[in-house]
Amino acid sequence: MQLIPAIDLKNGQCVRLRQGLMEDATVFSDRPAEMAAHWFKQGARRLHLVDLDGAFAGEPKNFPAISEILEAVGSHIPVQLGGGIRDLATIERYLKLGLHDVIIGTAAVKNPDFVREACREFAGHIIVGLDAKDGRVAIDGWATVTEHHVIDLSRRFEDDGVNSIIYTDIGRDGMMSGVNIEATVKLAEAVRIPVIASGGLTNLDDIRALCAVADKGVAGAITGRAIYEGSIDFAEAQRLADSLIQ
């Protein structure tokens, strides 16, 4: 069970949103590269970046901060990024910069064939990010909730070569209300692609609950507000996860 610190970028700063609302952002650092180095020193084996401005604009908007983060830790651990990735040229630019994986979200919903093309062009480097509210997938920085059910959509990517699916429960994201274990397991059992949980991770009980379902196909969990506000000590949480899954 790999725990993955999140660094959400807005105007070059490290922030956390509540339920994806840009107007409800808490700034945790104006030096994202230093924050990335901090999590690496705490034992992070992977980092999760989100270009929040890019997610709403549909194109990269925090390139300088992303470049600095990759300079700081990119040679040590894999870094993945989502937000504003809508074409193959953007993926190529990011991978050349040093990103290990790119996360396709809105574009995967609007144009599933794009995922297939990306996997063919950049094999081994594509993750699909599906953010859902009451089981329905949201797009455009969570501004629009579609009629697509997360499980039905996920099944479309099974044969494309996607590394994993990041499943975010919007209702719990940034709310410190616990991971939606039931919905995450339901998705993981429905597809052959490993699922990474996101949204609501609050305390060590959540870590224990996730480890208990690791054999269902839940491969990891992204954590944000909990490690920034201190309800979870990241190093302690990863050690606990390692001890529970031998």
Side-chain angles (χ1 to χ4, degrees):
M1 181 59 61
Q2 189 174 75
L3 304 182
I4 309 171
I7 297 179
D8 291 2
L9 299 167
K10 182 174 183 285
N11 298 325
Q13 298 176 310
C14 175
V15 308
R16 291 301 293 170
L17 307 183
R18 293 182 188 274
Q19 297 183 320
L21 299 174
M22 289 288 272
E23 63 271 21
D24 193 358
T26 303
V27 177
F28 286 105
S29 173
D30 57 3
R31 298 177 183 272
E34 291 183 6
M35 187 61 70
H38 168 74
W39 296 128
F40 170 62
K41 291 175 183 176
Q42 290 293 306
R45 298 163 193 164
R46 175 178 284 265
L47 285 181
H48 175 78
L49 311 185
V50 180
D51 181 351
L52 292 171
D53 303 298
F56 282 88
E59 60 184 13
K61 289 293 183 180
N62 281 281
F63 207 77
I66 294 164
S67 298
E68 291 174 5
I69 288 171
L70 290 172
E71 287 178 10
V73 303
S75 62
H76 302 293
I77 55 175
V79 180
Q80 62 193 40
L81 168 81
I85 297 171
R86 306 285 198 270
D87 54 60
L88 296 178
T90 298
I91 295 175
E92 183 176 20
R93 184 184 183 194
Y94 274 136
L95 293 180
K96 284 183 176 179
L97 188 66
L99 273 174
H100 191 277
D101 299 291
V102 296
I103 303 161
I104 302 176
T106 291
V109 181
K110 291 184 174 180
N111 181 16
D113 288 341
F114 173 57
V115 174
R116 187 175 301 109
E117 293 172 10
C119 288
R120 186 165 53 243
E121 189 75 18
F122 308 105
H125 297 283
I126 305 299
I127 295 170
V128 166
L130 296 179
D131 311 325
K133 187 172 185 178
D134 299 325
R136 301 294 177 180
V137 177
I139 59 174
D140 298 324
W142 300 354
T144 304
V145 178
T146 71
E147 291 302 311
H148 296 288
H149 193 279
V150 65
I151 290 178
D152 294 336
L153 194 59
S154 296
R155 285 175 172 154
R156 298 184 64 173
F157 304 119
E158 285 189 306
D159 297 320
D160 292 342
V162 170
N163 287 357
S164 57
I165 291 175
I166 296 174
Y167 171 64
T168 302
D169 185 319
I170 296 173
R172 302 199 184 202
D173 189 70
M175 299 303 290
M176 305 283 284
S177 57
V179 177
N180 190 335
I181 298 289
E182 181 181 358
T184 304
V185 169
K186 188 175 181 180
L187 173 60
E189 290 183 323
V191 297
R192 300 189 303 272
I193 308 169
V195 173
I196 298 173
S198 176
L201 197 69
T202 304
N203 52 42
L204 293 182
D205 285 339
D206 287 325
I207 304 299
R208 295 184 182 94
L210 284 165
C211 288
V213 297
D215 62 344
K216 305 293 186 182
V218 181
I222 293 168
T223 176
R225 185 174 291 273
I227 57 175
Y228 287 100
E229 294 189 346
S231 70
I232 288 180
D233 178 286
F234 180 82
E236 178 186 6
Q238 186 61 74
R239 285 195 299 269
L240 173 63
D242 290 344
S243 72
L244 292 173
I245 301 179
Q246 299 295 335

